[in-house]
Amino acid sequence: MTITENAVEEEPLEGLPPGFGEGSAGKAAFLIAIAFSVFQIYIAAYGSIPSQVVRAMHVGFLLLLGFALIANLRAKSVPAKAAFWTLGVLGFGTGLYNWVFYTDLIRRSGFLTTPDLIIGTLLVVLVFEAARRLMGLPLAVIAFIFLAYCFVGNHLPAPFIHRGYDFAQLVDTFAFGTEGIYGTPIYVSAAYIFIFVVFAAFLERAGMIALFNDFALGLVGSWRGGPAQVCVLSSALMGTISGSGVANVVASGQFTIPLMKRFGFRPAFAGAVEATSSMGGQIMPPVMGAVAFIMAETLNIPYAEVVKAAIIPALLYFGACFWQVHLEAGKAGLHGMAKADLPNPWDAVRQHWPLVLPLAALIYLLFAGYTPIFAGTMGLALTIVLILGTPLAALIGPLAFRIVFWLALGLAAASFMKFGVNILAVVIVALIAACFTFKGGRETLRICIDSLAEGAKNALPVGIACAIVGIVIGTLTLTGIASTFIGWIISIGENNLFLSLLLTMLTCLVLGMGIPTIPNYIITSSLAGPALLSLGVPLVVSHMFVFYFGIMADLTPPVALAAFAAAPMAKESGLKIGIQATKLAIAGFVVPFMAVYTPALMLQDAGPLAAQFGYPVEVAYIVVKACMGIVLWGAAAVGFLARRMALWERLVAFAAGVLLVAALPLTDEAGWALAVIWIGWHCWRARQASVADTA
C-alpha cells in the first residue's frame, strides 16, 4: 500500500477523527453508512420514490450518521454518547415521517397539524446542531441570522422590512416545502453529489491515487522543480474524480509536501503548491466540485455546459501553477528529479489502465447528453464490476482466457446502454456471489463494503452544508430581501461594472472566511447572479465568477482553510502558506474578471472580434492573451524570469499584464508592446550577464 493510500484511509473529515468508532456503536455507525450508500445507489438507479421523500430520507440519513459519528468519535461520557445517538435517531425519524405521511402532508400543505409543527421544528433544530458540530460555528451563525430575519424583519426599517410571517408558515417553508431545507441544494446532494463522492471513494480504494502519482512522477518529475510539478499534475488528475479541495490537500499532501521540502522548496511554498493545486480540483472537469452540479440544476442547463465553460479557465489555473513553480525553482536554483529514480508513466498506465475505463465511460455519458445522475451511477457500477472482476480474472491461468473473461464481462456490463440498469445489477450480483467462494474474492468484497461506508462519511460535510444553506435560500425566497441587494448592485454597476464585480468578489471572500465553497456559492449567486445578469454579464459567467471566488476564499488569508490544512504537513504557519497560495492562484483571481469582459474565455457569447475574424479566432486570441498575462504576473509575483528581477522590472511586468487584461480601447496594443519590449530586454540582459559570468 502506498503512502498516499494510507493518507486517504487516515484522512480526518471536517474535524472528525478517522474511522467509525469502536465496539458495537462503531459497527452500528458503519452499517448505517453502508445502508445510506445502498439507499442512495438504489434511488439513483431506479428512482421509484417521490423526490420529496428522497430529500427527506437523505437529510434523515445525514443526521443519523452525523450524530452517530459525533457520539462515537467525539463524545467522552456515556450520557453524551447516548444523547447524540438519540438526536441521530430523531433526525432519521423526521425523514421517516415525511415518507409515511407523504400524501397527507401534500394534502394539508399550508395547514400543518401539531405533530407536523413538532417534527418540522425538530428538523430545523437538528440541522442547525449538526451543522454547528460538523461544519463549525460560522455557517450555523450565518444561517441563524437569516432565520432570525424572518421572525423580526417586520420590525426593521425600510428597505429591510417585510410583511411578517407566523410560526406555522415558517415551519412549512423551511421544514416541508421545496424552498427550505429540502430545496434545490439538498436535491442536488441526494441526486448527484452523493453518487460522485461514492464513485471517488471506490476509485481511490481501487488504486487510482497510485496511478495518478506514478503517472505524474514519471511525466513531470524530471522537470525543473519536479516534485512541485508532480504535486500540481497529480492534484489536477485527482480533481477529475474528487471535487473536495481540502480533502485533496490532506490526502495527497502527506506525500507531496515532504517530497518538495526534501528537494529544497521552502516549507511555505511547498504547502502553498499543494493547497493551490488541490483547490483547483473543484474547477477541473470532467467531475468538478459539488458546486458545478448545483449550478447546472440552478441554471437548468446540462452539466456538460458547465464543464464546457470551465475547461479553459481550469487549464489556465493549473498552467499558472506550473509556470510559477518553474520560476520559483529557477530562482532557488533547483533542478528536477533524476530520471533513473522515476517510474515510467506509461508503465503505470499499462499496469492500472482498467481504472481509467469507468472514468472514460463517465466522461462519455456526461458529454453524450445523459444526466449526471445516470452517468455517475453507471460510472460507479462499472467501477464495482471492475473491482469485483479483478480477483476472478487472477484465478484464470492462461492470458488468452483472461482476455476472453474481460471481454465477456465488459460486453455484459456495456449492454446497459441497450437493456438498462437491470443488466448491470445482474452482473454485479453474479460477481458478488462468485467472490464469496474464495479468500481473495472475500477480501475484494470487503474493499467494496469499506468504500460504501467511506463514501457516505465523505458525503456528510457536503450534505449538511446543503441542508442548512436551504434556510438561507428559503429566507431569500420568502422575504424578497435578495431584491434589495440586487438593486444595490445594479445601481452601482450602472456607472461602474468593475466596481460591482469587485464588490461581489469581496462578498465571496468575506463569506468564505467562515463557510465552505458550496454555501458560499449558493448564497452569493442568489444575491449577485441576477444583478450581474441585469448588467449584461452572461448567466453562466456570472455564476462561474461567484464559484471561482468561493474557491479562492479557501486560499486567501486570514482564514485560508486549504492553507491551514497543509500547515501541519509543511510545518509552517498557515498564514504564510496562504500568502504564497494567493500568489500561486493568480489565474483564479484574473480569469473571472477577463471572462466577464470577454465571455468567449468561457466559450460563451461571442464578442466583436468574432464578428470580424470568427469565433475560434476570438477564443484563441483571448487564451493567448490570458497566457501572456499569466506569464507576466507570474514573473512579477516570483521576481524571476530568465534571471532575478529588480523591483522596477516586476512593476513593469505587472503593468503589462494589467494592460492585457483590462479589455479597454488600445490597452491590448499597449500591453503587447510593453510585454514584448520588456521580455526581449530582460532576456538580452540575462544573456549578457551569463556571458560575463562565464568569462
Side-chain angles (χ1 to χ4, degrees):
M1 183 174 287
T2 65
I3 295 173
T4 310
E5 285 174 308
N6 275 324
V8 174
E9 289 182 0
E10 296 170 3
E11 173 189 326
L13 176 77
E14 299 293 337
L16 285 178
F20 291 84
E22 299 178 350
S24 57
K27 291 178 182 177
F30 185 78
L31 291 174
I32 289 168
I34 294 171
F36 191 6
S37 290
V38 171
F39 172 78
Q40 290 292 158
I41 293 171
Y42 174 82
I43 295 302
Y46 295 101
S48 56
I49 300 176
S51 175
Q52 185 77 359
V53 174
V54 172
R55 301 180 199 200
M57 289 302 299
H58 184 73
V59 175
F61 267 116
L62 288 171
L63 294 173
L64 177 59
L65 180 59
F67 282 117
L69 290 177
I70 293 169
N72 292 354
L73 302 176
R74 278 196 191 160
K76 304 298 183 184
S77 64
V78 173
K81 291 178 184 291
F84 283 121
W85 269 101
T86 302
L87 293 179
V89 171
L90 290 174
F92 188 70
T94 63
L96 291 177
Y97 187 87
N98 275 269
W99 196 347
V100 172
F101 298 104
Y102 169 68
T103 304
D104 295 334
L105 287 169
I106 291 177
R107 288 173 178 168
R108 59 176 179 254
S109 177
F111 300 94
L112 301 182
T113 63
T114 299
D116 296 341
L117 291 173
I118 293 173
I119 294 296
T121 304
L122 178 65
L123 173 65
V124 173
V125 171
L126 290 177
V127 166
F128 268 96
E129 180 63 8
R132 185 179 74 86
R133 295 279 180 177
L134 293 171
M135 306 299 296
L137 193 59
L139 179 56
V141 169
I142 290 172
F144 181 78
I145 290 171
F146 277 84
L147 180 63
Y149 175 70
C150 293
F151 284 96
V152 303
N154 56 320
H155 302 297
L156 297 178
F160 302 105
I161 191 171
H162 59 65
R163 65 179 181 84
Y165 310 96
D166 61 33
F167 182 77
Q169 185 177 0
L170 294 177
V171 171
D172 193 20
T173 298
F174 292 123
F176 291 102
T178 56
E179 298 294 341
I181 291 172
Y182 299 144
T184 298
I186 209 66
Y187 164 73
V188 176
S189 176
Y192 306 155
I193 297 171
F194 192 96
I195 291 298
F196 281 89
V197 171
V198 175
F199 177 57
F202 269 88
L203 283 178
E204 289 174 6
R205 290 272 175 170
M208 184 63 92
I209 292 179
L211 169 60
F212 287 159
N213 279 342
D214 288 347
F215 182 78
L217 272 169
L219 196 64
V220 301
S222 60
W223 292 9
R224 190 164 83 184
Q229 305 287 23
V230 168
C231 174
V232 175
L233 180 57
S234 63
S235 293
L237 293 171
M238 272 295 295
T240 63
I241 65 168
S242 171
S244 176
V246 176
N248 286 353
V249 172
V250 178
S252 57
Q254 307 254 4
F255 168 73
T256 57
I257 293 175
L259 184 64
M260 285 186 274
K261 289 174 64 179
R262 277 203 307 273
F263 274 78
F265 284 102
R266 292 176 290 117
F269 187 80
V273 171
E274 178 59 54
T276 306
S277 50
S278 289
M279 290 308 299
Q282 295 187 71
I283 60 171
M284 188 65 183
V287 183
M288 300 163 61
V291 169
F293 296 104
I294 297 174
M295 187 187 302
E297 189 67 29
T298 302
L299 300 181
N300 194 26
I301 59 175
Y303 176 74
E305 288 296 310
V306 178
V307 170
K308 184 179 78 171
I311 288 174
I312 293 176
L315 294 176
L316 291 173
Y317 182 93
F318 282 102
C321 290
F322 276 118
W323 173 242
Q324 290 198 67
V325 165
H326 178 79
L327 295 178
E328 182 73 22
K331 183 179 179 180
L334 304 177
H335 301 285
M337 304 162 73
K339 280 193 174 183
D341 299 333
L342 299 175
N344 186 315
W346 308 113
D347 284 347
V349 173
R350 281 191 291 270
Q351 184 180 353
H352 298 286
W353 67 267
L355 294 174
V356 180
L357 296 179
L359 192 58
L362 172 68
I363 295 169
Y364 167 76
L365 293 171
L366 283 174
F367 283 90
Y370 292 91
T371 62
I373 188 171
F374 179 82
T377 305
M378 294 305 103
L380 172 59
L382 291 174
T383 305
I384 295 173
V385 168
L386 181 67
I387 293 173
L388 293 175
T390 299
L392 296 174
L395 296 177
I396 303 173
L399 176 62
F401 289 171
R402 287 204 302 272
I403 293 174
V404 170
F405 169 80
W406 281 117
L407 286 174
L409 187 60
L411 289 172
S415 61
F416 76 87
M417 296 293 291
K418 183 175 181 180
F419 300 107
V421 70
N422 284 335
I423 190 71
L424 259 179
V426 170
V427 170
I428 290 173
V429 169
L431 289 172
I432 291 173
C435 285
F436 261 121
T437 61
F438 63 100
K439 184 180 179 182
R442 289 191 290 272
E443 291 173 351
T444 303
L445 289 176
R446 180 68 189 185
I447 291 174
C448 292
I449 292 171
D450 288 345
S451 298
L452 288 172
E454 284 297 328
K457 185 180 178 184
N458 292 343
L460 262 181
V462 178
I464 291 295
C466 287
I468 195 165
V469 85
I471 299 291
V472 177
I473 301 301
T475 300
L476 296 177
T477 304
L478 185 66
T479 64
I481 186 61
S483 61
T484 303
F485 186 85
I486 292 167
W488 185 37
I489 294 284
I490 292 173
S491 64
I492 294 173
E494 284 175 348
N495 301 317
N496 193 328
L497 174 60
F498 179 78
L499 197 58
S500 290
L501 295 173
L502 197 63
L503 181 64
T504 304
M505 179 191 77
L506 292 174
T507 302
C508 292
L509 294 178
V510 170
L511 276 177
M513 290 181 184
I515 63 177
T517 307
I518 295 170
N520 189 349
Y521 161 76
I522 294 172
I523 294 169
T524 315
S525 64
S526 301
L527 295 171
L532 295 178
L533 177 65
S534 67
L535 295 172
V537 181
L539 197 56
V540 173
V541 174
S542 65
H543 279 249
M544 291 294 284
F545 184 92
V546 170
F547 177 23
Y548 270 57
F549 284 110
I551 292 171
M552 292 302 104
D554 280 342
L555 298 173
T556 310
V559 185
L561 293 180
F564 279 93
M569 292 167 282
K571 294 182 172 58
E572 182 57 276
S573 159
L575 184 61
K576 291 182 180 178
I577 293 174
I579 292 170
Q580 290 293 325
T582 304
K583 293 180 183 178
L584 276 169
I586 189 167
F589 289 92
V590 176
V591 168
F593 282 93
M594 289 187 69
V596 168
Y597 291 102
T598 51
L601 189 64
M602 290 184 178
L603 302 178
Q604 300 301 305
D605 299 353
L609 197 63
Q612 189 172 357
F613 299 103
Y615 190 66
V617 173
E618 180 181 27
V619 172
Y621 172 72
I622 292 169
V623 170
V624 170
K625 189 172 74 163
C627 289
M628 178 55 77
I630 287 170
V631 166
L632 293 166
W633 281 0
V638 176
F640 183 90
L641 187 59
R643 59 170 291 161
R644 287 179 179 268
M645 295 160 52
L647 177 60
W648 71 266
E649 289 184 273
R650 299 171 75 166
L651 293 175
V652 169
F654 179 78
V658 170
L659 288 172
L660 286 173
V661 172
L664 297 172
L666 299 179
T667 54
D668 276 12
E669 293 83 347
W672 280 113
L674 184 58
V676 170
I677 292 170
W678 176 77
I679 291 174
W681 182 86
H682 177 84
C683 292
W684 173 81
R685 181 169 168 266
R687 184 176 300 175
Q688 292 296 106
S690 178
V691 171
D693 290 341
T694 55

